Amino acid sequence: MNNKSFLTNLISLILLLIGYVTNQQVILYCGLFAFSGALTNWLAIHMLFEKVPGLYGSGVIPARFEEFNSAIKNLMMEQFFTQENISRFLNKEMAGATNLNLQPVIEKIDFAPAYDSLLDVIMNSIICSMFMMMGGTEALQPLR
């Protein structure tokens, strides 16, 4: 049972029945108010998404989906992704990154395979003849 609304509606109906059978007015009214609220919420949600013939305003979400979509997009772009908010976020993130020391990691990495692959790609490309005029593979040694 992973439908929470079904569970709460069932509890409110059980309270209503217990209050009616035992003639306990407090329990009866708790169940009655909870169940009427549950029915009202169910009807309201149903009317938002489904067109009910004869009821004005029902089916408003499908009927105005593009307007809702555009309004939500504008709200997100104007309220959350402002220049000020983005700057504040980046400054906060960059302030935390200053403590990050990558030097030990960089020292442990062997860049020789990456350099050899780069050299291989260049020497097998169209610009190989240009590099040969500039000194060949010796011209790329400073990159190592």
Side-chain angles (χ1 to χ4, degrees):
M1 226 193 268
N2 52 354
N3 188 348
K4 294 177 189 173
S5 64
F6 176 75
L7 182 63
T8 56
N9 294 349
L10 182 64
I11 291 171
S12 67
L13 187 60
I14 289 171
L15 278 176
L16 178 68
L17 292 174
I18 289 172
Y20 181 75
V21 170
T22 61
N23 202 17
Q24 295 288 323
Q25 287 193 341
V26 173
I27 296 174
L28 174 69
Y29 290 148
C30 286
L32 183 64
F33 293 138
F35 192 65
S36 67
L39 286 177
T40 304
N41 289 344
W42 173 79
L43 182 61
I45 298 298
H46 180 76
M47 284 179 56
L48 281 173
F49 293 97
E50 301 292 330
K51 181 74 175 151
V52 178
L55 284 178
Y56 176 75
S58 64
V60 71
I61 297 218
R64 298 183 187 244
F65 181 76
E66 290 303 320
E67 293 173 37
F68 282 126
N69 192 14
S70 176
I72 290 170
K73 177 187 170 201
N74 289 338
L75 175 73
M76 294 297 291
M77 297 309 287
E78 292 172 4
Q79 297 298 317
F80 294 108
F81 295 112
T82 63
Q83 186 68 35
E84 178 184 311
N85 287 345
I86 291 172
S87 296
R88 184 177 33 215
F89 173 76
L90 291 176
N91 289 336
K92 183 177 163 185
E93 290 299 315
M94 295 310 271
T98 57
N99 299 333
L100 187 62
N101 184 10
L102 296 177
Q103 191 62 34
V105 176
I106 292 172
E107 289 173 1
K108 290 182 181 180
I109 295 175
D110 181 19
F111 289 105
Y115 175 78
D116 293 339
S117 296
L118 173 67
L119 194 61
D120 186 45
V121 168
I122 291 173
M123 290 303 146
N124 291 320
S125 70
I126 297 171
I127 60 172
C128 176
S129 57
M130 181 179 72
F131 276 107
M132 293 310 250
M133 288 190 297
M134 293 172 41
T137 58
E138 290 78 28
L140 295 176
Q141 280 301 320
L143 290 177
R144 187 180 284 272

